Amino acid sequence: MDTAPVEVIRASGQAITALDPVRSRLLAHLREPRSASGLARELGLPRQRVNYHLRQLEDQGLVVSAGERQWGGITERLVVATARAYVISPEAMGPAAPPEPGERPDRLSAAFLLALAAQTVRHLGSLLSRSRRTGGRVETFALQTDVTLASPAARADFARDLAAAVTGVVARYHDERTPGGRAHRLVIGAYPLPPTEEEHHD
């Protein structure tokens, strides 16, 4: 099994298992195949404890068998994480997950942007899960840039102009009539950079 670059954790049981401090460390070390004894040496933990946590990860489908190897006359079983990194989908929170974006959204609110982000993670998690079953590729496109806005008035003008530009581009390419066309979701968000990121950007 090929290790995925990133996997979206969608089930609450998987999320609970992966968030355990020891298990999250194991997942980070299992980007390449390892044995329980090797992990115990690397992490300074008893092998029995490592074996216990590996069983929990395997039960949740976050770790899989990666064959065997001979080491000092002993046959060691190797395991590997299913991905190099993980993202927990809001749907793992069950009823406490953020709701779908409202029909009449406040596009200037952080709550709406978070709802869009949560929806995006949910959708991508579903698409990635299906692509792993079928072997197909998830066709995506992403654009990121930073912009410094001088004032609240400039921010409002920027939002208005950006909305007008995007509406024009969408109108130019949107085609519901051609058979075989596939609908895509376009999400554009802007938010103030946290202070540490802002300093790095400067």
Side-chain angles (χ1 to χ4, degrees), residues 158-172 186 188:
F158 172 78
R160 183 197 63 236
D161 291 346
L162 181 61
V166 171
T167 299
V169 172
V170 170
R172 190 180 315 142
L186 175 65
I188 297 176

Side-chain angles (χ1 to χ4, degrees), residues 63-80:
V63 165
V64 295
S65 176
E68 297 178 341
R69 74 175 177 188
Q70 297 295 320
W71 181 263
I74 300 174
T75 300
E76 291 188 324
R77 178 171 176 263
L78 302 177
V79 293
V80 67

Side-chain angles (χ1 to χ4, degrees), residues 164-185:
V166 171
T167 299
V169 172
V170 170
R172 190 180 315 142
Y173 289 96
H174 181 61
D175 184 355
E176 294 180 330
R177 296 170 296 178
T178 302
R182 186 172 185 182
H184 288 68
R185 172 66 47 83

Side-chain angles (χ1 to χ4, degrees), residues 35-171:
S35 67
S37 59
L39 287 167
R41 288 192 299 271
E42 291 176 29
L43 299 176
L45 297 172
R47 180 174 175 176
Q48 292 83 354
R49 187 180 178 193
V50 170
N51 274 323
Y52 167 77
H53 288 296
L54 287 177
R55 283 195 299 271
Q56 302 302 310
L57 290 167
E58 284 192 86
D59 287 345
Q60 291 296 329
L62 297 169
V63 165
V64 295
S65 176
E68 297 178 341
R69 74 175 177 188
Q70 297 295 320
W71 181 263
I74 300 174
T75 300
E76 291 188 324
R77 178 171 176 263
L78 302 177
V79 293
V80 67
T82 55
R84 298 187 64 81
Y86 296 87
V87 173
I88 295 179
S89 173
E91 63 195 298
M93 292 295 296
E100 293 290 324
E103 294 182 2
R104 300 181 64 183
D106 176 3
R107 291 184 172 83
L108 299 180
S109 77
F112 178 62
L113 182 55
L114 279 172
L116 282 178
Q119 182 187 68
T120 300
V121 172
R122 286 196 297 270
H123 288 173
L124 284 173
S126 178
L127 290 169
L128 285 171
S129 178
R130 185 174 66 179
S131 74
R132 296 190 73 180
R133 291 195 306 270
T134 63
R137 185 169 179 237
V138 181
E139 296 180 357
T140 63
F141 169 78
L143 176 65
Q144 175 181 297
T145 188
D146 295 336
V147 55
T148 300
L149 302 171
S151 66
R155 183 172 65 243
D157 291 343
F158 172 78
R160 183 197 63 236
D161 291 346
L162 181 61
V166 171
T167 299
V169 172
V170 170

